[in-house]
Each structure stands twice: as structure tokens, then as C-alpha cells.
Amino acid sequence: MNNSINQSIKEAIELIKDSDNIYIVSHVQPDGDNIGSTLALGLAIKKLKGKVNIVKVDDIPSYLMFLPGVDMIKEQDITAPIDLLISLDSSDLDRLGIGKEFALKAKKIINIDHHITNENFGHINIVSPTSAATAEIVYDFIRELGISIDKDIATCIYTGISTDTGSFVYSNTSSRTHLIAAELLKIGIDAELININLYQSKSMPSAKLFINSLSHLETYLDDKVGLVSITREMLMENNAKMEDTEGIISFIRGIDTIEVACILKEMDEEEIKVSLRSKKHIDVSKICRKFNGGGHIRAAGCTIYEEISKAKQLILDEIISTFR
Ligand SMILES: [Mn+2]
């Protein structure tokens, strides 16, 4: 954390203390870091102010439903006054889905994130691309807020950090990541239970989709690039949902020759969500930015509004050209 970030955290805390109607928004297709950060900060602000509103903008994946306070995330009334809105783990307003309307209505916005592509859309921006997860920033934030981190808050922070680092494996994992995790363990979180919920609770439809999709793995450039397409038809065949694609892309990156792993998800006929992961050399956030997406050097995403075979060709051309 550099000085300007520390300064922004102090300003944000003053704003929270002075504000009445505080809203926190999750983002569309929320992940463990988004929900974990949202709940950790939500629980802390509730301790501080007695009340907080968390806006549900999308379904919460079932593997996160064990999190303490998850019931606080619900659909909210847009006509109510919003003095302060806090966005977590979202690089731009569009990613907030319906939450964008709440943001545009809010008198003030605090934007807390770790994406390098963050658009600094807040009145106060706490953006730290060197943090492995937004939950890491939230850990510092809550301590500065003067609220003690209890077992529930610690569970949410640990979930955010664990999921965004691939269980402390990805290159974003730092000594600080481990130090924070150690503090959370000291507080008494049940890491075994968290790990079972996050990593050992795959549903059978999800397992079947996993096997089915990987049997259609395509590779390019002497197996340096691996790609899988998930169509809506495949979901139907396996009785699965899009959230059941979790884990496929990291499996592809886990193959020894693979440098770039790619998964295409057919959200709609001409709406293809693309996720990219790289291992050592390729900056995939650069590739995704060409399609108005973004993310991190080793993990990024974008949406291509074309039919799936066309989207595949477009993203493949970009991936292959980065190897030249
Ligand atoms: Mn994150």
C-alpha cells in the first residue's frame, strides 16, 4: 500500500462515518473475491453504523452460499435515498449491472479494486493492482476503520483471497497475502470448512460439463494455446449452469505446454464471454482490452458480441498474434 492509497482509505473512512444511507454493490457474475469483499465490508459497516444495504445484481454462485451474512445481499429499492455507494472488485460501472443505476444515483462513490484496468470512476478511488485480491485491501480498510475482524468477517476475507489466488498458487500471491491469511487463521476461521465449500463441492452436472468440455479441447501453436467453447446446448445436455464452468480454465492452464488458456461461454446467441489465463509470458489483459474488456496480466476477460464461432476466430487471432 503506498501513501496515496493510505490517504484515500482515510478519506473514505471519514465519508463512511459521515454518511447515512450506505449501499454496497456486488457485480454481475460475482466471484469469491467480489462476494467475500462485499460481505466483509458489509459486516464491518453494520458493526459500525448498525445498518448497511447490499445490492444484489446477479445470482450468487452456490459454492459461496455458506458465507456469513450472505442473506444481507438482496434486491434493493432504487427509489430510496443513497448517500454513499461502495463498489468492490469492479473495474468499471458497467460491470455493476443494475448496480450502475444505484451508483449513478448516489451522492458519493467509493471505488475499491485491484484490477489494473480500473477506470477510477469513484469520488474516492482505492485501486491497488499489486494486491492479490480486493479482499486484501478490504482487510486493511476494516482495520483502519477500527472495527475488530471477527470470525465471520475473517471467513469472508479469506474466501476472497483464496479464490482470487487459486488457493495461494497464482503469481499475484505475495508475502503480504500469506501474512494476512496467517492473521485470519489466528482469528480462528475454519479453513478446512471454507476449503471444502470452495473446492470440494463440485456438483455432478458441473463435473459432467467439465469432462464433456475438455473432451472438446482445441490446441494451437504446438499446444501453447488451449481453448474450450461452452455452448448453451452443452449446458442443457449436462443439466448445468454457466457457473458450473468454474475450474475448467485453470485445468487447461495446468497442462505443461500451455501458455494461454481460453474459455468461451455462450451467454446468448451473439454474446460470448471470453476468459483468458496465462502462465509466464503473455499479458492477457492487453488482449482483452482490444475487445473492451480487462483484468490482470495473468487473468482477464471480455465479451464479444458475435456468434460463437466468429468470436472464437477473433480472440484466437489476437492470442496468436501476441506470440509473434
Ligand atoms: Mn478480485
Side-chain angles (χ1 to χ4, degrees), residues 247-263:
I248 295 173
I249 194 162
S250 21
F251 184 89
I252 301 172
R253 177 166 60 179
I255 301 167
D256 61 356
T257 54
I258 295 288
E259 169 61 20
V260 173
C262 174
I263 179 166

Side-chain angles (χ1 to χ4, degrees), residues 85-299:
L85 179 131
I86 306 170
S87 166
L88 292 154
D89 200 41
S90 185
S91 54
D92 60 85
L93 282 175
D94 285 329
R95 185 128 174 80
L96 300 178
I98 179 91
K100 183 180 180 180
E101 290 174 38
F102 286 78
L104 294 176
K105 226 197 115 185
K107 285 185 196 140
K108 295 277 181 192
I109 298 174
I110 298 173
N111 164 24
I112 305 178
D113 187 29
H114 69 133
H115 292 90
I116 200 164
T117 48
N118 190 285
E119 292 178 359
N120 292 305
F121 54 86
H123 297 94
I124 299 176
N125 299 292
I126 302 164
V127 179
S128 167
T130 55
S131 297
T134 297
E136 269 190 22
I137 312 171
V138 166
Y139 172 82
D140 289 328
F141 195 96
I142 294 175
R143 291 193 36 162
E144 189 70 34
L145 199 56
I147 293 294
S148 75
I149 296 182
D150 59 20
K151 194 179 160 191
D152 285 352
I153 295 176
T155 297
C156 295
I157 295 175
Y158 188 89
T159 295
I161 294 175
S162 176
T163 51
D164 256 26
T165 57
S167 322
F168 306 92
V169 165
Y170 301 159
S171 61
N172 58 0
T173 311
S174 68
S175 61
R176 174 131 187 84
T177 310
H178 286 289
L179 285 170
I180 296 173
E183 290 301 323
L184 301 173
L185 288 165
K186 270 193 230 164
I187 290 166
I189 56 166
D190 189 343
E192 187 182 18
L193 181 80
I194 297 173
N195 288 325
I196 289 172
N197 274 289
L198 295 179
Y199 308 118
Q200 294 166 1
S201 299
K202 198 183 256 303
S203 68
M204 198 46 89
S206 173
K208 285 184 173 154
L209 180 68
F210 187 89
I211 294 162
N212 182 220
S213 61
L214 284 163
S215 70
H216 295 102
L217 174 69
E218 300 171 26
T219 66
Y220 302 88
L221 292 180
D222 299 326
D223 299 340
K224 288 194 200 64
V225 177
L227 177 148
V228 147
S229 300
I230 312 284
T231 61
R232 288 178 297 167
E233 197 186 336
M234 283 164 77
L235 294 185
M236 262 188 340
E237 281 168 8
N238 295 286
N239 194 22
K241 295 183 288 238
M242 244 349 147
E243 66 170 78
D244 295 325
T245 55
E246 192 75 35
I248 295 173
I249 194 162
S250 21
F251 184 89
I252 301 172
R253 177 166 60 179
I255 301 167
D256 61 356
T257 54
I258 295 288
E259 169 61 20
V260 173
C262 174
I263 179 166
L264 291 102
K265 302 181 206 170
E266 186 185 37
M267 309 306 289
D268 215 325
E269 200 175 330
E270 293 196 352
E271 183 189 343
I272 311 301
K273 194 171 152 30
V274 180
S275 297
L276 294 181
R277 300 286 182 273
S278 62
K279 196 179 283 168
K280 283 192 269 183
H281 314 295
I282 303 287
D283 179 352
V284 287
S285 76
K286 258 191 199 163
I287 299 173
C288 289
R289 251 180 272 186
K290 297 200 168 144
F291 300 95
N292 296 317
H296 312 284
I297 294 170
R298 300 278 173 259

